[in-house]
């Protein structure tokens, strides 16, 4: 029988097959992506759509063929072929929707798909009511089935390779669909080639499908269903992409939140929580034999002063710079964390000895020792470091931290800028410090503070013209507490301001009384750096002087070198105001800090006090002798007087005299003593009665109480 093919309809059938396959693969991918309840929906819906698509392709292919007779179709068998198409599609989607495709599974999938397509085709052919029946050529039948299986296998394989590869070109995804489409239509047309219609055969009794419009309607319907599916699929893909983007953003926010929760906002260093986490890990590692470690507790010296006097933004910048230096100073695996304020912690892994931990501490101290430039200011910072070792000092996290803190406070008590390892006898210092702090709050109002006075002696004449007021705390339970044990606490808590004001008042009151009694001693008062920077300083001084009607020249203020050199520029202004008031100003502990000589020239300062450490070493170390000489010459060239502190031996005094030092102060002549005992000593040994004028005194070079004489205050 003569058959011809309408090439437009053939092309349409192939296009439908490709379109169907493309949709099917997308659906399969959707099924893998989707959350569970939706999977069934997509598998079922997809199978229906795909089945209808394959089936339509088959019928368009049938209609593309025109024969000399009209073909009649058995409706039941036709519907059965549709069911087979849907079942095949269902199986194929299930197989294609697995996460990984093994060779066996691929083979199985190809069999189901290719076999199913062929089954549908031959069932569809069987629906044709024709007598005599169609003859099939076995070779072509075999070829059509094999072709379907091979094409399905290739298409499945390709689709799997591309799955999940989001960077693959969208067109490359089309490759699988084209292969599959060719497989479906190839199976059909090879199957058609296998069919031999016996000439003269007649078809009747069933449904007639022969018009071009019928094909168009089927194609349109199939295309419509497929298009709807594809659109809804594209839409959900878009939704999924958005959901993925949201999830990505959420992950990012989560990571950010975690970073914030574990890091300090100001410096970017790990915070307390993060540090404790790592400390916990280190402890666990150490227990499993992964090595001992050290905890270093750091606290900046005088940070409160810098923060309060230079402003918080400068303080913040300083902390950031300190953080940078700390990170650079420690070894690569060590953790630097900021606890709060100016407190930092370092976790140093694989530290076996105190000496090793000490080396790390040294490099930190060294790294912080270079002046910091902040906002055109040059600021000096230093830190006190306490060290505790695991397993040597403690086993538990809290104890390790507490011990490092104790050691740090001990380093502070030693004057700061140093490190200290924990020792058992430090235990309890922290609680002790807290108790001391609360006691100090009440010390002033309960009258537990008093001033002792240490005479200063003229090196050449041996006369005493001034005394230094040194603060003492008479604690009801602990007896005398030395200033170095409580002044740092007073500075940290800000208590130094009311205490300092009291010292000024008390010193002026005593100076007035001595003056009234005919002992015109100038009283030198130590000013804390915090007081020096405080805006009410001039008012406090003026009030203290006025209250006693004391001539300003009988009051001297000692300010430490490091206090004046920190922000030297503003120091010049403060010092000029003090000098205009007429009070005497001296720089205490000179030589221990970092001095900018060009500023020293601009400071209106009356005298320099050479730190006791120079005096102590002067006779043993030639270098120190040279430095002392240089300081004295420098001071004299700037018209300043020089006082040596901590003079304990006649040899030291002799050397100072040889170097031209003006005055000295120290145990050699006398320890600090209460006003009453100082006065009675002065009077008894000098043989002076109250009211006797200092002008009647004679010169005496040897420093003994017996020969003690007063000088008038014109030095
Ligand atoms: P500073 O102003 O340098 O005072 C000298 C310190 O050396 C005093 O210690 C004094 O007792 C001690 N000293 C004097 N002669 C000798 C000696 O020959 N050998 C030795 N080894 N030491 C000697 P002190 O009284 O313990 O005071 C320590 C520091 O406390 C003072 O150092 C000062 O910076 C501070 N300070 C004392 N009173 C006050 C105060 O009222 N206000 C403030 N802000 N600070 C104060
Ligand atoms: Mg002093
Ligand atoms: Mg001093």
């Amino acid at each position: 029988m003569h058959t011809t093919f309408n090439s437009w309809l053939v092309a349409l059938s192939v296009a439908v097959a490709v379109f169907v396959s493309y949709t099917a693969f997308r659906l399969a991918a959707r099924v893998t992506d989707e959350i569970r309840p939706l999977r069934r929906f997509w598998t079922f819906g997809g199978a229906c759509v795909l089945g209808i698509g394959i089936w339509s392709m088959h019928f368009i292919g049938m209609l593309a063929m025109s024969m000399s007779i009209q073909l009649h179709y058995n409706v039941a068998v036709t519907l059965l072929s549709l069911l087979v198409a849907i079942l095949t599609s269902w199986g194929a989607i299930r197989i294609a929707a697995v996460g990984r495709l093994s060779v066996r599974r691929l083979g199985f999938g190809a069999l189901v798909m290719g076999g199913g397509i062929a089954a549908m085709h031959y069932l569809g052919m069987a629906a044709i009511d024709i007598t005599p029946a169609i003859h099939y050529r076995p070779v072509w039948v075999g070829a059509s089935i094999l072709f379907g299986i091979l094409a399905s296998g290739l298409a499945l394989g390709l689709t799997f390779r591309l799955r999940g590869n989001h960077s693959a070109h969208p067109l490359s995804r089309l490759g699988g669909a084209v292969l599959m489409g060719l497989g479906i239509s190839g199976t059909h047309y090879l199957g058609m080639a296998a069919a031999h219609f016996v000439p003269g055969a007649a078809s009747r009794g069933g449904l007639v499908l022969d018009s071009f419009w019928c094909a168009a309607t089927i194609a349109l319907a199939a295309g419509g269903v497929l298009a709807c599916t594809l659109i809804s699929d594209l839409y959900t893909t878009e939704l999924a992409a958005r959901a993925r983007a949201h999830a990505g953003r959420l992950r990012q926010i989560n990571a950010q939140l975690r970073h914030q929760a574990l890091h300090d906002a100001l410096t970017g260093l790990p915070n307390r929580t993060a540090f404790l986490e790592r400390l916990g890990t280190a402890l666990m590692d150490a227990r499993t034999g992964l090595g001992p470690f050290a905890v270093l507790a750091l606290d900046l010296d005088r940070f409160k002063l810098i923060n309060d006097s230079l402003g918080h933004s400068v303080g913040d910048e300083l902390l950031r710079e300190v953080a940078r230096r700390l990170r650079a100073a420690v070894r690569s695996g060590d953790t630097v964390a900021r606890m709060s304020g100016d407190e930092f912690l370092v976790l140093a892994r694989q530290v076996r000895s105190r000496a090793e931990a000490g080396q790390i501490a040294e490099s930190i101290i060294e790294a912080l020792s270079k002046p910091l430039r902040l906002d055109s200011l040059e600021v000096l910072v230093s830190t006190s470091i306490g060290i505790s070792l695991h397993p040597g000092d403690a086993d538990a996290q809290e104890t390790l931290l507490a011990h490092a803190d104790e050691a740090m406070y001990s380093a502070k008590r030693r004057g700061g800028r140093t490190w200290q390892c924990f020792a058992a006898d430090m235990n309890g210092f922290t609680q002790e410090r807290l108790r001391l702090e609360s006691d100090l709050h009440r010390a002033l109002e309960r009258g537990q503070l008093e001033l002792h006075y240490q005479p200063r002696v003229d090196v050449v004449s041996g006369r005493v013209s001034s005394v230094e007021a040194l603060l003492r705390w008479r604690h009801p339970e602990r007896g005398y507490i030395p200033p170095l044990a409580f002044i740092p606490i007073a500075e940290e808590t800000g208590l130094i301001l009311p205490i300092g004001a009291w010292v000024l008042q008390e010193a002026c009151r005593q100076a007035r009384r001595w003056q009234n009694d005919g002992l015109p001693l100038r009283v030198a008062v130590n000013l804390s750096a915090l007081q020096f920077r405080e805006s009410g300083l001039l008012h406090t001084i003026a009030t203290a002087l006025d209250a006693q009607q004391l001539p300003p020249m009988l009051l001297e203020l000692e300010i430490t070198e490091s206090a004046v050199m920190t922000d030297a520029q503003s120091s010049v202004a403060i010092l000029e105001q003090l000098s205009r008031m007429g009070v005497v100003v001296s720089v205490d502990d000179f030589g221990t800090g970092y001095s900018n000589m060009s500023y020293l020239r601009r400071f209106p300062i009356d005298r320099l006090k050479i730190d006791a450490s120079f005096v102590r070493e002067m006779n043993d170390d030639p270098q120190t002798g040279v430095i002392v000489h240089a300081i004295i010459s420098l001071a004299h060239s700037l018209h300043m007087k020089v006082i040596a502190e901590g003079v304990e031996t006649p040899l030291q005094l002799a050397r100072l005299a040889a170097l031209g030092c003006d005055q000295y102060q120290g145990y050699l002549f006398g320890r600090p003593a209460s006003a009453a005992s100082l006065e009675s000593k002065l009077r008894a040994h000098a043989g002076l009665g109250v009211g006797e004028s200092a002008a009647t005194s004679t010169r005496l070079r040897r420093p003994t109480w017996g020969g003690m004489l007063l000088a008038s205050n014109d030095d």
Side-chain angles (χ1 to χ4, degrees), residues 26 29-30 33-35 166 232-248:
R26 289 202 60 104
R30 160 84 330 113
D33 278 359
E34 213 61 74
I35 40 169
H166 292 280
S232 91
D233 167 59
L234 285 171
Y235 177 66
T236 34
T237 307
E238 169 62 22
L239 283 187
R242 263 189 237 168
R244 260 200 302 278
H246 277 152

Side-chain angles (χ1 to χ4, degrees), residues 167-283:
S167 62
H169 194 278
L171 277 184
S172 69
R173 261 167 233 290
L174 220 58
V178 170
L179 272 176
M180 196 66 235
L182 289 178
I184 297 170
S185 39
T187 305
H188 175 83
Y189 289 107
L190 283 171
M192 293 305 285
H196 174 68
F197 291 85
V198 181
S203 173
R204 70 189 114 11
L207 200 64
V208 180
L209 295 171
D210 63 347
S211 80
F212 177 83
W213 293 112
C214 186
T217 313
I218 293 177
L220 224 60
V225 171
L226 288 167
C228 288
T229 316
L230 199 57
I231 288 167
S232 91
D233 167 59
L234 285 171
Y235 177 66
T236 34
T237 307
E238 169 62 22
L239 283 187
R242 263 189 237 168
R244 260 200 302 278
H246 277 152
R249 178 93 191 95
L250 215 63
R251 259 198 304 279
Q252 204 181 333
I253 291 172
N254 268 337
Q256 222 168 314
L257 281 177
R258 187 174 155 75
H259 184 90
Q260 269 168 23
L262 294 179
H263 288 82
D264 164 50
L266 181 67
T267 61
L269 289 177
N271 63 10
R272 183 184 190 87
T273 316
F275 185 87
L276 291 180
E277 233 173 56
R278 293 190 200 179
L279 182 57
T281 315
L283 271 169

Side-chain angles (χ1 to χ4, degrees), residues 322-435:
V322 166
R324 272 192 285 278
R325 291 190 183 185
L326 285 179
R327 243 190 313 229
V330 301
R331 306 164 312 167
S332 63
D334 297 344
T335 301
V336 180
R338 178 168 173 238
M339 290 294 105
S340 63
D342 59 336
E343 287 172 42
F344 296 86
L345 281 178
V346 175
L347 175 64
R349 308 286 292 258
Q350 300 298 333
V351 171
R352 262 153 240 289
S353 64
R354 285 163 197 276
E356 253 179 83
Q359 267 170 13
I360 298 172
E362 288 285 352
S363 53
I364 290 174
I365 290 173
E366 173 67 31
L368 292 183
S369 70
K370 288 170 217 100
L372 257 74
R373 284 213 71 82
L374 304 168
D375 249 24
S376 81
L377 295 178
E378 212 157 63
V379 180
L380 284 174
V381 279
S382 63
T383 180
S384 305
I385 304 178
I387 301 172
S388 66
L389 292 171
H390 177 80
D393 293 330
D395 257 342
Q397 192 159 297
E398 305 77 50
T399 332
L400 269 168
L401 291 176
H403 283 2
D405 264 355
E406 307 266 6
M408 185 271 290
Y409 282 123
S410 161
K412 276 234 186 281
R413 272 175 294 164
R414 289 175 50 195
R417 199 176 191 276
T418 186
W419 58 274
Q420 184 91 72
C421 283
F422 174 75
D425 58 6
M426 288 173 189
N427 226 339
F429 181 75
T430 319
Q431 290 97 317
E432 157 104 10
R433 196 197 122 97
L434 288 174
R435 249 199 319 272

